[in-house]
Short mmCIF file of all heavy atoms in Angstrom, two decimals:
data_model
loop_
_atom_site.label_atom_id
_atom_site.label_comp_id
_atom_site.label_asym_id
_atom_site.label_seq_id
_atom_site.Cartn_x
_atom_site.Cartn_y
_atom_site.Cartn_z
N THR J 1 -22.25 -4.17 -15.29
CA THR J 1 -21.43 -2.97 -15.22
C THR J 1 -20.51 -2.99 -14.02
O THR J 1 -20.98 -3.20 -12.87
CB THR J 1 -22.30 -1.71 -15.18
OG1 THR J 1 -23.19 -1.70 -16.29
CG2 THR J 1 -21.44 -0.45 -15.20
N LEU J 2 -19.24 -2.81 -14.24
CA LEU J 2 -18.24 -2.75 -13.18
C LEU J 2 -17.75 -1.33 -12.99
O LEU J 2 -17.64 -0.55 -13.95
CB LEU J 2 -17.05 -3.66 -13.52
CG LEU J 2 -17.32 -5.16 -13.66
CD1 LEU J 2 -16.07 -5.87 -14.17
CD2 LEU J 2 -17.74 -5.76 -12.32
N LEU J 3 -17.44 -0.99 -11.75
CA LEU J 3 -16.85 0.32 -11.48
C LEU J 3 -15.36 0.31 -11.74
O LEU J 3 -14.73 -0.76 -11.75
CB LEU J 3 -17.10 0.70 -10.00
CG LEU J 3 -18.56 0.83 -9.57
CD1 LEU J 3 -18.66 1.11 -8.08
CD2 LEU J 3 -19.27 1.95 -10.34
N ASP J 4 -14.80 1.46 -11.97
CA ASP J 4 -13.36 1.55 -12.14
C ASP J 4 -12.66 1.19 -10.84
O ASP J 4 -13.23 1.29 -9.73
CB ASP J 4 -12.94 2.98 -12.55
CG ASP J 4 -13.48 3.35 -13.93
OD1 ASP J 4 -13.66 2.41 -14.75
OD2 ASP J 4 -13.69 4.53 -14.19
N THR J 5 -11.39 0.76 -10.94
CA THR J 5 -10.61 0.46 -9.74
C THR J 5 -10.54 1.68 -8.83
O THR J 5 -10.26 2.78 -9.30
CB THR J 5 -9.20 0.02 -10.13
OG1 THR J 5 -9.27 -1.15 -10.94
CG2 THR J 5 -8.36 -0.30 -8.89
N GLN J 6 -10.81 1.47 -7.56
CA GLN J 6 -10.87 2.57 -6.61
C GLN J 6 -9.92 2.36 -5.46
O GLN J 6 -9.68 1.23 -5.04
CB GLN J 6 -12.29 2.73 -6.04
CG GLN J 6 -13.38 2.92 -7.10
CD GLN J 6 -14.75 2.94 -6.49
OE1 GLN J 6 -15.09 3.83 -5.72
NE2 GLN J 6 -15.56 1.93 -6.82
N GLN J 7 -9.37 3.44 -4.95
CA GLN J 7 -8.52 3.38 -3.77
C GLN J 7 -9.32 3.84 -2.57
O GLN J 7 -10.06 4.83 -2.64
CB GLN J 7 -7.29 4.27 -3.93
CG GLN J 7 -6.29 4.14 -2.76
CD GLN J 7 -5.05 4.98 -2.97
OE1 GLN J 7 -5.02 5.84 -3.81
NE2 GLN J 7 -4.02 4.70 -2.19
N SER J 8 -9.18 3.11 -1.46
CA SER J 8 -9.90 3.47 -0.26
C SER J 8 -8.95 3.32 0.93
O SER J 8 -7.83 2.80 0.80
CB SER J 8 -11.12 2.56 -0.08
OG SER J 8 -11.87 2.96 1.05
N THR J 9 -9.37 3.80 2.06
CA THR J 9 -8.57 3.67 3.29
C THR J 9 -9.45 3.06 4.36
O THR J 9 -10.56 3.52 4.60
CB THR J 9 -8.06 5.05 3.76
OG1 THR J 9 -7.35 5.67 2.69
CG2 THR J 9 -7.14 4.89 4.95
N VAL J 10 -8.96 1.99 4.98
CA VAL J 10 -9.75 1.28 6.00
C VAL J 10 -8.95 1.22 7.30
O VAL J 10 -7.74 1.41 7.33
CB VAL J 10 -10.09 -0.16 5.55
CG1 VAL J 10 -10.90 -0.12 4.26
CG2 VAL J 10 -8.82 -0.99 5.34
N GLN J 11 -9.66 0.96 8.38
CA GLN J 11 -9.06 0.85 9.69
C GLN J 11 -8.60 -0.58 9.92
O GLN J 11 -9.42 -1.46 10.17
CB GLN J 11 -10.03 1.28 10.80
CG GLN J 11 -9.45 1.25 12.20
CD GLN J 11 -8.32 2.25 12.37
OE1 GLN J 11 -8.43 3.39 11.95
NE2 GLN J 11 -7.24 1.83 13.00
N GLY J 12 -7.29 -0.84 9.79
CA GLY J 12 -6.76 -2.18 10.00
C GLY J 12 -6.30 -2.42 11.43
O GLY J 12 -6.48 -1.54 12.29
N PRO J 13 -5.70 -3.58 11.71
CA PRO J 13 -5.26 -3.92 13.06
C PRO J 13 -4.23 -2.93 13.61
O PRO J 13 -4.17 -2.69 14.80
CB PRO J 13 -4.64 -5.32 12.90
CG PRO J 13 -5.24 -5.84 11.65
CD PRO J 13 -5.47 -4.68 10.77
N SER J 14 -3.42 -2.33 12.71
CA SER J 14 -2.36 -1.45 13.17
C SER J 14 -2.62 0.00 12.81
O SER J 14 -1.71 0.85 12.92
CB SER J 14 -1.03 -1.90 12.55
OG SER J 14 -0.79 -3.24 12.78
N GLY J 15 -3.79 0.32 12.33
CA GLY J 15 -4.07 1.69 11.95
C GLY J 15 -4.74 1.73 10.59
O GLY J 15 -5.28 0.74 10.10
N ARG J 16 -4.66 2.88 9.97
CA ARG J 16 -5.29 3.06 8.66
C ARG J 16 -4.47 2.40 7.58
O ARG J 16 -3.25 2.49 7.54
CB ARG J 16 -5.43 4.56 8.35
CG ARG J 16 -6.17 5.35 9.41
CD ARG J 16 -7.61 4.92 9.54
NE ARG J 16 -8.42 5.32 8.41
CZ ARG J 16 -9.71 5.07 8.28
NH1 ARG J 16 -10.34 4.36 9.23
NH2 ARG J 16 -10.39 5.46 7.22
N LEU J 17 -5.15 1.68 6.67
CA LEU J 17 -4.49 0.95 5.60
C LEU J 17 -5.05 1.42 4.25
O LEU J 17 -6.24 1.67 4.11
CB LEU J 17 -4.73 -0.56 5.75
CG LEU J 17 -4.25 -1.25 7.00
CD1 LEU J 17 -4.71 -2.70 7.00
CD2 LEU J 17 -2.75 -1.19 7.11
N ASP J 18 -4.16 1.51 3.28
CA ASP J 18 -4.59 1.76 1.91
C ASP J 18 -5.14 0.46 1.33
O ASP J 18 -4.54 -0.61 1.48
CB ASP J 18 -3.42 2.24 1.03
CG ASP J 18 -3.02 3.67 1.38
OD1 ASP J 18 -3.90 4.45 1.75
OD2 ASP J 18 -1.83 3.98 1.28
N ALA J 19 -6.28 0.52 0.67
CA ALA J 19 -6.88 -0.65 0.06
C ALA J 19 -7.36 -0.29 -1.35
O ALA J 19 -7.82 0.83 -1.60
CB ALA J 19 -8.09 -1.12 0.90
N TRP J 20 -7.20 -1.26 -2.24
CA TRP J 20 -7.64 -1.08 -3.62
C TRP J 20 -8.81 -2.01 -3.87
O TRP J 20 -8.79 -3.20 -3.50
CB TRP J 20 -6.49 -1.41 -4.59
CG TRP J 20 -5.38 -0.42 -4.52
CD1 TRP J 20 -4.34 -0.40 -3.63
CD2 TRP J 20 -5.20 0.72 -5.34
NE1 TRP J 20 -3.52 0.67 -3.85
CE2 TRP J 20 -4.00 1.39 -4.91
CE3 TRP J 20 -5.89 1.25 -6.42
CZ2 TRP J 20 -3.53 2.53 -5.49
CZ3 TRP J 20 -5.41 2.40 -7.01
CH2 TRP J 20 -4.25 3.04 -6.56
N VAL J 21 -9.84 -1.48 -4.50
CA VAL J 21 -11.07 -2.23 -4.77
C VAL J 21 -11.13 -2.48 -6.28
O VAL J 21 -11.21 -1.55 -7.06
CB VAL J 21 -12.31 -1.48 -4.31
CG1 VAL J 21 -13.55 -2.34 -4.54
CG2 VAL J 21 -12.18 -1.10 -2.83
N TYR J 22 -11.11 -3.77 -6.65
CA TYR J 22 -11.11 -4.16 -8.06
C TYR J 22 -12.46 -4.82 -8.39
O TYR J 22 -13.06 -5.50 -7.56
CB TYR J 22 -10.00 -5.16 -8.37
CG TYR J 22 -8.62 -4.65 -8.09
CD1 TYR J 22 -8.01 -4.85 -6.87
CD2 TYR J 22 -7.89 -3.96 -9.05
CE1 TYR J 22 -6.72 -4.40 -6.61
CE2 TYR J 22 -6.60 -3.51 -8.83
CZ TYR J 22 -6.03 -3.73 -7.59
OH TYR J 22 -4.76 -3.27 -7.34
N ASP J 23 -12.89 -4.64 -9.62
CA ASP J 23 -14.03 -5.40 -10.18
C ASP J 23 -15.28 -5.33 -9.28
O ASP J 23 -15.97 -6.34 -9.06
CB ASP J 23 -13.65 -6.87 -10.40
CG ASP J 23 -12.51 -7.01 -11.40
OD1 ASP J 23 -12.45 -6.19 -12.32
OD2 ASP J 23 -11.70 -7.94 -11.24
N GLN J 24 -15.57 -4.15 -8.78
CA GLN J 24 -16.77 -3.98 -7.96
C GLN J 24 -17.95 -3.67 -8.85
O GLN J 24 -17.88 -2.85 -9.77
CB GLN J 24 -16.58 -2.88 -6.94
CG GLN J 24 -17.74 -2.79 -5.94
CD GLN J 24 -17.48 -1.72 -4.89
OE1 GLN J 24 -17.15 -0.60 -5.20
NE2 GLN J 24 -17.63 -2.10 -3.62
N LEU J 25 -19.07 -4.35 -8.60
CA LEU J 25 -20.28 -4.14 -9.40
C LEU J 25 -20.86 -2.75 -9.08
O LEU J 25 -20.79 -2.27 -7.95
CB LEU J 25 -21.31 -5.20 -9.08
CG LEU J 25 -21.13 -6.59 -9.69
CD1 LEU J 25 -22.19 -7.51 -9.15
CD2 LEU J 25 -21.18 -6.52 -11.20
N LYS J 26 -21.47 -2.15 -10.10
CA LYS J 26 -22.15 -0.88 -9.88
C LYS J 26 -23.38 -1.09 -9.03
O LYS J 26 -23.70 -0.26 -8.17
CB LYS J 26 -22.54 -0.28 -11.23
CG LYS J 26 -23.17 1.09 -11.13
CD LYS J 26 -23.47 1.67 -12.51
CE LYS J 26 -24.08 3.06 -12.42
NZ LYS J 26 -24.36 3.64 -13.75
N ALA J 27 -24.09 -2.19 -9.23
CA ALA J 27 -25.27 -2.53 -8.43
C ALA J 27 -24.95 -3.73 -7.55
O ALA J 27 -24.10 -4.56 -7.88
CB ALA J 27 -26.47 -2.83 -9.32
N ASP J 28 -25.62 -3.83 -6.43
CA ASP J 28 -25.40 -4.95 -5.52
C ASP J 28 -26.29 -6.14 -5.85
O ASP J 28 -26.94 -6.71 -5.01
CB ASP J 28 -25.65 -4.49 -4.07
CG ASP J 28 -25.49 -5.65 -3.09
OD1 ASP J 28 -24.64 -6.51 -3.33
OD2 ASP J 28 -26.27 -5.71 -2.11
N ASN J 29 -26.34 -6.52 -7.12
CA ASN J 29 -27.12 -7.69 -7.49
C ASN J 29 -26.75 -8.07 -8.92
O ASN J 29 -26.01 -7.33 -9.59
CB ASN J 29 -28.62 -7.42 -7.36
CG ASN J 29 -29.06 -6.21 -8.19
OD1 ASN J 29 -29.03 -6.24 -9.41
ND2 ASN J 29 -29.48 -5.15 -7.50
N LEU J 30 -27.26 -9.20 -9.36
CA LEU J 30 -27.03 -9.66 -10.73
C LEU J 30 -28.33 -9.56 -11.54
O LEU J 30 -28.64 -10.44 -12.34
CB LEU J 30 -26.49 -11.11 -10.72
CG LEU J 30 -25.10 -11.26 -10.12
CD1 LEU J 30 -24.66 -12.72 -10.19
CD2 LEU J 30 -24.08 -10.36 -10.78
N LYS J 31 -29.04 -8.48 -11.32
CA LYS J 31 -30.26 -8.22 -12.08
C LYS J 31 -30.17 -6.90 -12.84
O LYS J 31 -30.60 -6.78 -13.97
CB LYS J 31 -31.48 -8.20 -11.14
CG LYS J 31 -31.74 -9.53 -10.44
CD LYS J 31 -32.92 -9.41 -9.50
CE LYS J 31 -33.17 -10.73 -8.76
NZ LYS J 31 -34.29 -10.61 -7.79
N GLU J 32 -29.59 -5.89 -12.18
CA GLU J 32 -29.51 -4.59 -12.79
C GLU J 32 -28.25 -4.44 -13.63
O GLU J 32 -27.28 -5.18 -13.45
CB GLU J 32 -29.52 -3.49 -11.70
CG GLU J 32 -30.74 -3.50 -10.79
CD GLU J 32 -30.62 -2.47 -9.70
OE1 GLU J 32 -30.17 -1.35 -9.97
OE2 GLU J 32 -30.99 -2.80 -8.55
N ASN J 33 -28.29 -3.47 -14.52
CA ASN J 33 -27.12 -3.09 -15.34
C ASN J 33 -26.56 -4.27 -16.15
O ASN J 33 -25.34 -4.39 -16.34
CB ASN J 33 -26.01 -2.51 -14.47
CG ASN J 33 -26.46 -1.27 -13.71
OD1 ASN J 33 -27.14 -0.41 -14.27
ND2 ASN J 33 -26.11 -1.18 -12.44
N GLN J 34 -27.45 -5.13 -16.60
CA GLN J 34 -27.00 -6.24 -17.43
C GLN J 34 -26.80 -5.78 -18.85
O GLN J 34 -27.59 -4.99 -19.37
CB GLN J 34 -28.02 -7.38 -17.39
CG GLN J 34 -27.56 -8.66 -18.07
CD GLN J 34 -28.62 -9.75 -17.99
OE1 GLN J 34 -29.42 -9.92 -18.89
NE2 GLN J 34 -28.61 -10.51 -16.90
N SER J 35 -25.75 -6.23 -19.48
CA SER J 35 -25.45 -5.84 -20.86
C SER J 35 -25.19 -7.08 -21.70
O SER J 35 -25.13 -8.20 -21.16
CB SER J 35 -24.24 -4.90 -20.91
OG SER J 35 -23.09 -5.54 -20.40
N SER J 36 -25.01 -6.90 -22.99
CA SER J 36 -24.73 -8.02 -23.87
C SER J 36 -23.71 -7.57 -24.90
O SER J 36 -23.36 -6.38 -24.99
CB SER J 36 -26.02 -8.49 -24.57
OG SER J 36 -26.57 -7.46 -25.35
N LEU J 37 -23.22 -8.53 -25.67
CA LEU J 37 -22.32 -8.20 -26.75
C LEU J 37 -23.05 -7.36 -27.81
O LEU J 37 -24.28 -7.38 -27.88
CB LEU J 37 -21.79 -9.49 -27.39
CG LEU J 37 -20.88 -10.37 -26.50
CD1 LEU J 37 -20.74 -11.74 -27.12
CD2 LEU J 37 -19.53 -9.73 -26.32
N ILE J 38 -22.27 -6.63 -28.62
CA ILE J 38 -22.90 -5.82 -29.69
C ILE J 38 -23.74 -6.74 -30.58
O ILE J 38 -24.87 -6.40 -30.96
CB ILE J 38 -21.82 -5.10 -30.50
CG1 ILE J 38 -21.12 -4.07 -29.62
CG2 ILE J 38 -22.41 -4.42 -31.73
CD1 ILE J 38 -19.95 -3.35 -30.30
N VAL J 39 -23.20 -7.88 -30.90
CA VAL J 39 -23.97 -8.94 -31.58
C VAL J 39 -24.13 -10.06 -30.56
O VAL J 39 -23.18 -10.80 -30.29
CB VAL J 39 -23.26 -9.46 -32.86
CG1 VAL J 39 -24.11 -10.52 -33.53
CG2 VAL J 39 -22.98 -8.29 -33.82
N PRO J 40 -25.29 -10.22 -29.93
CA PRO J 40 -25.45 -11.15 -28.79
C PRO J 40 -25.47 -12.60 -29.21
O PRO J 40 -26.47 -13.32 -29.08
CB PRO J 40 -26.77 -10.70 -28.19
CG PRO J 40 -27.55 -10.16 -29.33
CD PRO J 40 -26.55 -9.51 -30.24
N VAL J 41 -24.35 -13.10 -29.69
CA VAL J 41 -24.28 -14.46 -30.21
C VAL J 41 -24.45 -15.50 -29.08
O VAL J 41 -25.02 -16.58 -29.30
CB VAL J 41 -22.95 -14.70 -30.94
CG1 VAL J 41 -22.92 -13.91 -32.25
CG2 VAL J 41 -21.75 -14.30 -30.07
#
């Protein structure tokens, strides 16, 4: 399971920066929230 694209703000070298987070896992591991195809071929 992946989270939707999120916008965040971080403290960069010159101040606050807008950052976009893509393809972030819902869980911090590859054990939880595992899914399969409707027909798991």
Side-chain angles (χ1 to χ4, degrees):
T1 304
L2 298 173
L3 298 175
D4 294 333
T5 300
Q6 303 175 65
Q7 186 178 14
S8 184
T9 305
V10 300
Q11 182 65 44
S14 307
R16 305 296 288 179
L17 301 174
D18 287 327
W20 292 84
V21 183
Y22 301 92
D23 299 327
Q24 188 176 50
L25 283 175
K26 184 177 181 180
D28 176 35
N29 57 67
L30 293 181
K31 297 178 182 178
E32 301 177 41
N33 301 317
Q34 188 180 94
S35 61
S36 61
L37 294 166
I38 294 176
V39 181
V41 291

